[in-house]
Amino acid sequence: MSELPFELPKYHKTFTICQWKRNGLIETDEMIEEIYQKYIRASHCELCGNPFTSSRNRHMEHCHETGKFRNIVCTKCNSHKSDRKCNTNTGERYISKRKDKNYKQGFYYQIQIYRNGKWILRKTILILEEAIEVRDKFILENPEYFK
């Protein structure tokens, strides 16, 4: 067996596979084992070829419609996939509803877009429709982040 590029914490395998399944990976147990072995040995992104800078920069990339595995990729390539699942409580990509009793209505909406290791948009708005407008305008004005 080849040497691993990063040290793995205790329970890494159990936690990682559980995360993958929670995020929508649908494969047989044998295939998941094969993917995991490939994942822990990967040292470069299979799409852009850049080396992984840390174990947290490496991701199992899969089709969000079928749940099938595709590649081991870096954070940048993973975040640029067009079928990326919307994991917000509003159903709107990049917009989450946050409870906060400091606001008269008891909550606010937060737009959060993270690219290349930094927040490129992080804004608090009180009305969902306004948050959608701000998000959509930002995406139109900054297409380089959404290729």
Side-chain angles (χ1 to χ4, degrees):
M1 284 203 157
S2 61
E3 194 172 313
L4 301 179
F6 303 103
E7 186 176 326
L8 301 176
K10 190 175 183 180
Y11 305 115
H12 181 270
K13 182 176 181 177
T14 304
F15 177 78
T16 301
I17 291 173
C18 182
Q19 272 303 110
W20 290 350
K21 288 179 179 180
R22 191 176 318 128
N23 288 331
L25 180 66
I26 302 170
E27 294 285 0
T28 64
D29 289 341
E30 294 80 23
M31 188 64 182
I32 289 175
E33 178 63 30
E34 198 174 305
I35 294 166
Y36 179 77
Q37 292 304 317
K38 181 177 181 178
Y39 173 81
I40 62 173
R41 286 172 176 66
S43 60
H44 290 76
C45 177
E46 292 180 357
L47 296 181
C48 70
N50 289 333
F52 295 124
T53 55
S54 74
S55 63
R56 296 175 79 57
N57 180 254
R58 176 176 64 174
H59 301 276
M60 178 283 304
E61 199 273 311
H62 67 292
C63 175
H64 289 272
E65 290 181 20
T66 66
K68 295 297 178 187
F69 169 76
R70 290 195 281 222
N71 303 96
I72 306 298
V73 298
C74 66
T75 301
K76 182 178 179 180
C77 288
N78 192 43
S79 66
H80 286 162
K81 294 305 256 178
S82 61
D83 75 337
R84 203 170 151 157
K85 188 175 179 183
C86 178
N87 287 327
T88 69
N89 60 2
T90 63
E92 292 290 337
R93 182 168 279 157
Y94 311 119
I95 302 173
S96 296
K97 185 176 182 179
R98 307 289 175 108
K99 291 181 182 181
D100 191 329
K101 55 186 167 193
N102 293 324
Y103 288 86
K104 184 179 180 181
Q105 62 194 39
F107 63 87
Y108 62 89
Y109 294 97
Q110 185 164 46
I111 307 169
Q112 295 182 317
I113 302 175
Y114 188 80
R115 293 288 190 272
N116 304 325
K118 63 181 181 180
W119 292 106
I120 58 169
L121 178 63
R122 202 165 190 193
K123 190 168 181 103
T124 298
I125 298 177
L126 296 177
I127 301 165
L128 179 59
E129 291 75 17
E130 186 180 327
I132 292 169
E133 285 179 32
V134 170
R135 177 209 53 200
D136 291 348
K137 182 179 178 191
F138 182 84
I139 290 171
L140 281 173
E141 292 174 352
N142 299 278
E144 69 276 11
Y145 292 117
F146 302 94
K147 293 177 185 172

